[in-house]
């Protein structure tokens, strides 16, 4: 805070100019269906873990697209791999498989 | 920027500005922040251009700061405004010009509100009579003082001693113009050039020889925002907005900034010092800041006023490098001498180049 | 023989004329521009399958064989005369028409009206129509060689009260997704972004188009309306929107921005229709039909008919259906009139 008692505030803005998408490109190679998500949210709505800890497949995919990799991991770490999201995904994304792939690429 | 496209849009927003006979009201904060700007405005319009600009010591604040900070209700500020208009009428004027952007926004908003809600107008009329025994009147034309200088920009250019041109290189100075938010954003049709990119200051810059810079965060607020700044814990947020603007204009290497609001020049000027202290970063040449001016100060400079009579010693960012660029003579010994040669004191030397 | 004046030589005007001609009517087709085809003549390929607009147009033109048409012709005046309409063209032709068909189509929203998007101000901002023209001609200096990032803005002048158009223009989503794929074919290395509020992929094959844009072409869909565009010192465009799905403001710097200009009722058509008291509706400016379900081809005035986008945004197949429906409606109307 220095001598003024206040400081510049950090920006919360998503800046796609500084996005490093090398890892995401790698993820697409092994898991091309990640691109099919249309953000309907049914995965999140049905999530067993999500009722207790913030867990969201949809938000995790978006976070990866926006380069917020740590946020994505934190949205998936409570996943129980029960497969309910796989069951409800209208775009037939194999979400269980995708989660494992994400963890492989990003962890 | 494709200039013809911009001209087309500017031509769509032409505001009628009467040529003469105005009732002038001052801002409540500008005389402290930029002490000679309003005096220069009256001197240019009355004495250099021979126009009729009347002011009375009986006018007050418009109540805008209190209104925007939610400390007085709308009806109160409307009654204050009705009193200002009544004074105009009492002294025989129908053109009203104010020095402050927030006042301008509030006057416009009030007139529009009365237009939409005549019952409210009737109530304010009643309030005015009960409290002040004054006859209710509305101005025929409402202008901001920058509209007037814009209107007279070519007359000023005709009398100009200096141009906004780098004397050494012969190149036009690169000027950032910054418009107060309440000038055109609420009522684009009441502004010169529209809200997206008002022409009011750009027109002055062009008429006086400079070149306007369009940079990505041109539309961004200066960072003042009454209720933000007035609370200390919010000041980092205010500062961050200003910082964002400077980061965005930096690649264009602006020579100067011109503004038309009470708050903007103050914050764009003072925050440069704070940023330089906090971040060790300055945005002008040779470790200096970018000098920031009111439009009256710039008009005064091109017309050959003594920079110290324009109050430029009150700026945080030193103006001397710019004066030298244009070729305006100044006496460094006189900088901190007030009227009658009285010493007005000096600031400590900050890093952004206050000389 | 009965005279029918068809105003507008775009797809619906041509299709209706061809049908009416085959039914044995004397059709007079009036087109204000120097060529038939309307907006179709300016388009390169059509969603959802990428059929060439030129081929479709060629087929339509050969189909109107025998119809009298006037190019560079405007309706100078039109007024009711008993049960007929006296139509005077500016080329000196006068027709006493038993029925008048407005197939006056649409104007593209003037993108420069959205001042904050910088069309006509910033060098690398173009419209959907400009991009189609570039696909056809490969001639547009605003499109740089090998752009790294390209953005599409949906709903430009649509779903926008301040732009005067509260309604959805219907075709822009599918057009944007089509164009996003096509530009990706041209510049495979580019990142392509679509800024949308809702994706309205309602027609057959449209959802597949969207899926393939996502999966085959890697188009990034960002749900949020572009709020403002600025130019940086390198003349690149700085685009701001909210990524509403994450609830955060978003910024991206791009080399080309394509604005999906929406549809408005054709101003020239409105002027002509006004002379016989046929007006645009208050809520959207498109012509008022006799009802909203059953009699979409009829105006409130007897003997006046509509086909195509003059009664609201439509896809090309929609407009062609309406053209055929209008031909039948006119035929039914004239038969009923003769039996009276």
């Amino acid at each position: 805070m220095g001598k003024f008692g206040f400081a510049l505030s950090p920006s919360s803005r998503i800046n796609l100019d500084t996005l490093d998408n090398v890892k995401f490109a790698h993820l697409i190679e092994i898991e091309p269906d990640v691109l099919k998500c249309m953000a309907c949210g049914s995965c999140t709505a049905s999530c067993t873990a999500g009722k207790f800890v913030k867990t969201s497949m949809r938000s995790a995919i978006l976070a990866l697209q926006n380069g917020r990799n740590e946020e994505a991991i934190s949205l998936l770490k409570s996943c129980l791999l029960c497969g309910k999201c796989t069951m409800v995904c209208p775009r037939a994304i194999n979400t269980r498989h995708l989660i494992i792939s994400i963890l492989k690429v990003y962890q | 920027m494709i200039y013809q496209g911009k001209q087309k849009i500017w031509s769509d927003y032409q505001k009628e500005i009467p040529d003469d006979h105005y009732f002038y009201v001052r801002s409540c904060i500008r005389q402290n922040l930029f002490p000679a700007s309003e005096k220069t405005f009256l001197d240019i319009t009355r004495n250099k251009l021979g126009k009729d600009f009347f002011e009375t010591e009986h006018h007050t604040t418009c109540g805008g700061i209190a209104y925007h900070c939610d400390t007085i209700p709308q009806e109160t500020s409307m009654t204050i405004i009705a009193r200002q208009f009544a004074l105009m009428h009492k002294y025989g004027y129908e053109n009203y010009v104010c020095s402050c952007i927030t006042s301008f926004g509030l006057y416009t908003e009030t007139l529009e509100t009365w237009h939409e809600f005549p019952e409210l107008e009737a109530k304010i009329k009643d309030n005015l009579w009960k409290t002040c025994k004054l006859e209710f009147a509305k101005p025929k034309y409402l202008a901001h003082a920058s509209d007037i200088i814009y209107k007279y920009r070519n007359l000023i250019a005709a009398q100009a001693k200096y141009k906004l041109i780098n004397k050494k290189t012969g190149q036009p100075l690169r000027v950032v113009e910054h418009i107060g938010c309440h000038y055109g954003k609420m009522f684009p049709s009441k502004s010169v050039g529209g809200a997206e990119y008002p022409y009011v200051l750009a027109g002055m810059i062009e008429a006086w020889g400079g070149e306007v810079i369009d940079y990505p965060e041109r539309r961004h607020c200066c960072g003042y925002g009454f209720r933000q700044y007035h609370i200390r814990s919010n000041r980092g947020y205010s500062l961050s907005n200003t910082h964002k603007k400077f980061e965005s204009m930096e690649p264009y290497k602006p020579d100067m900034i011109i503004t038309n609001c009470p708050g903007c020049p103050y914050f764009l000027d003072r925050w440069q010092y704070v940023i330089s202290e906090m971040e060790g970063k300055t945005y002008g040449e040779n470790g200096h800041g970018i000098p920031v001016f009111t439009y009256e100060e710039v008009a005064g400079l091109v017309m050959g006023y003594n920079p110290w009579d324009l109050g430029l010693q009150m700026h945080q960012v030193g103006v001397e490098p710019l004066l030298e660029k244009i070729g305006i003579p100044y006496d460094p010994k006189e900088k901190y001498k007030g009227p009658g040669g009285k010493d007005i004191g000096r600031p400590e030397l900050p890093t952004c180049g206050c000389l | 023989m009965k005279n029918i004046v068809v105003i507008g030589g775009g797809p619906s005007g041509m299709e209706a004329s061809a049908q009416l001609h085959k039914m044995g009517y004397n059709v007079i087709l009036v087109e204000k521009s120097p060529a038939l085809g309307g907006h179709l003549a300016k388009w390169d390929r059509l969603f959802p399958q990428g059929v060439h607009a030129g081929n479709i147009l060629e087929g339509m033109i050969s189909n109107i064989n025998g119809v009298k048409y006037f190019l560079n012709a405007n309706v100078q005046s039109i007024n009711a005369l008993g049960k007929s309409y006296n139509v005077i063209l500016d080329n000196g032709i006068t027709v006493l028409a038993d029925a008048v068909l407005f197939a006056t189509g649409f104007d593209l929203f003037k993108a420069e009206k959205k001042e904050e998007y910088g069309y006509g101000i910033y060098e690398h901002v173009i419209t959907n129509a400009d991009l189609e023209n570039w696909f056809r001609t490969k001639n547009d200096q605003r499109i740089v060689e090998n752009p790294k990032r390209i953005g599409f803005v949906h709903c430009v002048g649509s779903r926008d009260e301040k732009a005067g158009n509260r309604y959805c223009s219907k075709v822009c989503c599918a057009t944007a997704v089509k164009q996003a794929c096509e530009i990706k074919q041209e510049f495979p290395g580019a990142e392509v972004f679509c800024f949308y509020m809702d994706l309205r992929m309602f027609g057959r094959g449209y959802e597949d188009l969207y899926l393939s844009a996502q999966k085959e072409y890697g188009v990034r869909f960002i749900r949020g309306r572009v709020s403002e565009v600025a130019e940086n010192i390198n003349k690149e465009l700085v685009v701001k929107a909210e990524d509403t799905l994450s609830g955060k403001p978003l910024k991206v710097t791009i080399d080309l921005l394509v604005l999906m200009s929406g549809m408005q009722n054709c101003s020239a058509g409105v002027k002509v229709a006004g002379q016989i008291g046929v007006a645009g509706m208050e809520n959207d400016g498109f012509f008022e039909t006799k009802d909203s379900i059953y009699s979409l081809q009829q105006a409130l005035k007897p003997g006046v008919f509509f086909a195509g986008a003059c009664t609201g945004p439509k896809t090309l197949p929609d407009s062609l259906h309406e053209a055929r429906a209008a031909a039948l409606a006119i035929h039914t109307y004239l038969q009923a009139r003769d039996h009276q």
Side-chain angles (χ1 to χ4, degrees):
Chain A
M1 284 293 165
K3 61 183 170 183
F4 293 98
F6 55 88
L8 288 171
S9 327
S11 173
S12 66
R13 184 164 74 178
I14 297 163
N15 185 349
L16 294 182
D17 296 347
T18 53
L19 182 73
D20 176 8
N21 46 16
V22 175
K23 279 187 176 171
F24 194 67
H26 180 48
L27 180 67
I28 293 169
E29 268 174 41
I30 57 172
E31 202 72 56
D33 276 5
V34 67
L35 292 172
K36 285 165 66 179
C37 173
M38 55 178 176
C40 72
S42 47
C43 50
T44 312
S46 66
C47 179
T48 309
K51 288 168 188 65
F52 308 101
V53 187
K54 176 113 179 93
T55 312
S56 170
M57 184 74 246
R58 170 194 76 80
S59 300
I61 293 174
L62 186 66
L64 293 177
Q65 285 178 320
N66 289 334
R68 310 210 159 187
N69 302 346
E70 283 172 26
E71 187 186 326
I73 298 297
S74 81
L75 286 163
L76 298 176
K77 67 172 181 228
S78 41
C79 170
L80 307 167
L81 288 176
C82 73
K84 273 178 85 182
C85 50
T86 310
M87 209 169 71
V88 296
C89 178
R91 279 278 170 91
I93 300 172
N94 186 339
T95 49
R96 286 181 88 244
H97 200 267
L98 175 59
I99 289 165
I100 293 165
S101 297
I102 290 171
L103 296 178
K104 268 189 203 152
V105 173
Y106 288 90
Q107 264 195 337
Chain B
M1 186 173 79
I2 302 163
Y3 195 75
Q4 291 80 354
K6 208 56 246 180
Q7 277 177 315
K8 166 78 187 60
I9 290 186
W10 283 332
S11 68
D12 288 346
Y13 295 95
Q14 287 302 317
K15 166 182 178 175
E16 197 177 346
I17 308 166
D19 185 56
D20 204 353
H21 305 299
Y22 280 93
F23 182 81
Y24 181 64
V25 289
R26 295 188 182 230
S27 148
C28 42
I29 56 174
R30 293 188 79 214
Q31 292 167 82
N32 296 320
L33 308 183
F34 302 93
S37 285
E38 293 177 336
K39 179 171 166 267
T40 306
F41 177 84
L42 289 175
D43 194 60
I44 291 174
T45 51
R46 286 172 176 169
N47 305 327
K48 297 286 196 290
L49 304 175
K51 308 286 183 182
D52 170 25
F53 280 75
F54 176 85
E55 69 163 341
T56 167
E57 69 274 28
H58 297 299
H59 89 71
T60 63
T61 172
C62 70
I65 293 185
Y67 173 61
H68 285 288
C69 292
D70 281 351
T71 54
I72 61 169
Q74 189 183 30
E75 270 180 36
T76 309
S77 65
M78 281 185 170
T79 309
I80 297 172
I81 287 165
R83 182 179 169 277
Q84 311 274 69
F85 290 162
L87 289 174
M88 170 199 73
H89 180 66
K90 183 177 156 187
Y91 290 107
Y93 287 84
E94 50 187 18
N95 303 330
Y96 191 97
V97 57
C98 55
S99 159
C100 172
I101 283 286
T102 292
S103 300
F104 179 72
L106 192 53
Y107 290 137
T108 314
E109 188 183 333
T110 299
L111 288 171
E112 292 291 320
T113 309
W114 288 346
H115 178 72
E116 296 287 334
F117 303 94
E119 68 283 3
L120 189 57
E121 181 180 316
K123 191 172 180 195
I124 301 298
K125 198 172 173 178
D126 190 44
N127 285 355
L128 180 68
W129 183 253
K130 279 183 188 151
T131 52
C132 307
K133 296 284 176 291
L134 280 169
E135 192 188 332
F136 183 84
K138 288 192 276 187
K140 195 166 170 193
Y141 291 101
L142 176 69
H144 181 253
S146 63
D147 294 336
I148 304 291
I149 297 292
Y150 166 80
K151 172 92 175 172
Y152 298 155
R153 68 198 187 282
N154 294 322
L155 297 175
I156 290 168
Q159 291 192 26
K161 281 198 180 151
Y162 305 101
K163 283 190 157 188
L164 300 178
I165 285 177
N166 186 323
K167 200 180 153 192
K168 243 188 241 164
T169 62
Q171 293 297 309
L173 293 182
R174 301 171 62 74
V175 188
V176 159
E177 48 82 51
H178 178 78
I179 305 286
C181 289
H182 296 173
Y183 175 66
K185 286 189 180 114
M186 295 185 286
F187 300 96
S189 66
K190 308 290 182 205
S191 69
V192 175
E196 211 294 300
Y197 194 161
Y199 185 58
V200 62
L201 295 177
M204 293 179 205
I205 297 165
E206 287 173 0
W208 302 336
E211 183 189 317
V212 184
I213 290 172
D214 180 17
Y215 60 108
E217 296 295 354
R218 170 176 53 74
R219 306 153 170 125
H220 205 70
C221 167
C222 72
Y224 181 12
F226 301 101
R227 55 185 114 192
Q228 274 66 305
Y229 178 73
H230 290 161
I231 296 165
R232 192 178 173 194
S233 59
N234 281 346
R235 284 181 194 163
Y237 162 61
S238 165
L239 182 75
S240 305
N241 278 297
T242 315
H243 179 253
K244 190 172 172 180
K245 274 188 91 71
F246 278 105
E247 288 289 314
S248 175
M249 72 174 80
E250 185 185 18
Y252 297 81
K253 299 187 168 57
D255 293 300
M256 62 190 286
I257 299 172
I258 175 173
T259 58
N260 73 342
C261 179
C264 311
Y266 190 77
F267 281 82
L268 292 173
D269 185 44
R270 277 14 174 225
W271 277 152
Q272 286 192 72
Y273 160 67
V274 176
I275 293 169
S276 76
E277 289 285 312
M278 264 184 197
E279 303 284 303
K281 183 158 184 185
T282 51
Y283 295 91
E285 287 168 29
N286 308 319
H288 287 196
I290 305 169
V292 188
F293 298 90
T294 69
Y295 54 95
E296 297 106 321
E297 288 170 347
V298 180
L301 279 179
V302 299
M303 291 184 90
Y305 283 69
N306 180 337
W308 310 140
D309 289 346
L310 291 172
L312 302 187
Q313 61 275 67
M314 301 301 283
H315 289 206
Q316 187 85 38
V317 176
V319 297
E320 287 88 338
L322 183 82
L323 299 179
E324 279 158 25
K325 242 185 231 174
I326 304 176
I328 298 173
Y330 63 94
D331 184 351
K333 290 198 291 290
E334 278 183 26
K335 181 169 181 181
Y336 295 111
K337 281 186 183 150
K342 204 179 128 194
D343 190 51
I344 56 170
R346 265 142 241 268
E348 286 179 42
L349 186 70
T351 54
C352 65
C354 200
L355 299 169
Chain C
M1 199 144 118
K2 292 199 175 64
N3 296 326
I4 296 164
V5 168
V6 177
I7 306 171
S12 15
M14 285 194 289
E15 181 65 16
S17 298
Q19 300 291 347
L20 288 162
H21 178 70
K22 278 178 207 156
M23 291 170 169
Y25 293 103
N26 181 36
V27 180
I28 298 102
L29 175 62
V30 188
E31 168 55 42
K32 65 177 162 40
S33 75
L36 291 172
H39 293 275
L40 181 62
K42 299 173 190 159
W43 236 247
D44 183 50
R45 276 166 288 170
L46 305 171
F47 63 76
Q49 291 176 345
V51 172
H52 282 273
N55 296 347
I56 299 287
L57 180 60
E58 236 174 73
M60 283 182 182
I61 290 176
S62 69
N63 211 23
I64 62 160
N65 205 6
V67 171
K68 274 193 270 317
Y69 63 87
F70 298 104
L71 301 176
N72 295 310
N74 290 285
V75 175
Q76 199 172 55
S77 80
I78 176 167
N79 54 286
L81 211 62
K83 284 184 175 171
S84 307
Y85 290 90
N86 192 33
V87 185
I88 303 173
L89 307 184
D90 61 356
N91 58 10
I93 307 275
T94 301
V95 187
L96 193 61
D98 293 281
V100 177
L101 175 62
F102 284 87
T104 43
F106 64 92
D107 289 337
L108 273 178
F109 173 78
K110 285 194 177 5
E112 54 269 36
K113 281 194 186 167
K114 288 294 291 175
E115 290 171 34
E116 61 271 37
Y117 292 166
Y119 183 69
I121 310 250
Y122 299 132
E123 269 175 44
H124 303 300
V125 181
I126 65 170
T127 63
N128 41 5
D130 295 333
L131 185 58
E132 288 295 330
N133 182 58
W134 181 79
F135 284 138
R136 286 168 55 232
T137 63
K138 289 289 163 3
N139 182 18
D140 194 327
Q141 291 182 340
R142 293 171 292 187
I143 299 176
V144 296
E145 267 179 58
N146 292 318
K148 285 199 288 292
R149 291 202 185 100
I150 301 161
F152 287 83
V153 185
H154 295 221
C155 303
V156 175
S158 303
R159 304 179 75 193
D160 185 345
E161 288 198 32
K162 276 174 75 188
N165 300 337
R166 206 164 53 210
Y167 52 86
C168 163
S169 284
K170 193 170 177 178
V171 299
C172 326
C173 277
T175 304
V177 176
K178 175 197 83 107
Q179 290 187 339
C181 298
E182 288 168 346
I183 201 118
K184 190 85 183 172
Q185 287 168 2
E186 300 282 348
F187 306 112
E191 280 179 86
V192 178
F193 303 92
C194 279
F195 294 91
Y196 71 100
M197 294 196 289
D198 295 295
L199 268 179
R200 301 190 164 180
M201 307 300 283
F202 54 90
R204 185 178 188 189
Y206 299 6
E207 189 68 18
D208 288 347
L209 186 64
Y210 169 39
L211 187 60
S212 109
Q214 285 180 298
K215 204 177 160 185
E216 322 309 329
Y217 294 97
V219 174
R220 168 84 198 271
F221 289 85
I222 296 169
R223 202 188 89 181
R225 194 183 182 96
V226 169
S227 70
E228 59 178 57
V229 180
E231 196 177 66
N232 70 15
I233 198 157
N234 304 320
K235 306 248 178 201
E236 295 154 341
L237 299 159
V238 183
V239 175
K240 288 184 190 174
E242 188 197 357
D243 174 22
T244 60
L245 293 172
S246 64
K248 290 192 175 67
L250 177 146
K251 179 192 107 170
V252 61
T253 305
I254 62 172
D255 302 311
L256 178 69
L257 188 69
V258 188
L259 306 180
M260 306 312 294
S261 278
M263 288 186 184
Q264 298 182 155
N265 199 358
C266 166
S267 59
V270 169
K271 240 165 122 184
V272 173
Q275 297 181 31
I276 47 169
V278 172
M281 285 187 55
E282 214 171 89
N283 65 340
D284 63 11
F286 291 101
F287 292 135
E288 185 172 8
T289 53
K290 199 171 170 192
D291 70 20
S292 61
I293 304 282
Y294 191 70
S295 311
L296 294 175
Q297 271 44 73
Q298 282 99 315
L300 297 171
K301 298 254 166 199
V304 179
F305 296 84
F306 302 122
C310 64
T311 57
K314 287 185 184 75
T315 65
L316 183 57
D318 283 350
S319 291
L320 296 175
H321 297 328
E322 287 215 342
R324 292 164 202 141
L328 201 56
I330 291 171
H331 177 69
T332 311
Y333 162 76
L334 290 176
Q335 288 213 320
R337 201 189 68 176
D338 289 349
H339 286 292
Q340 271 173 11

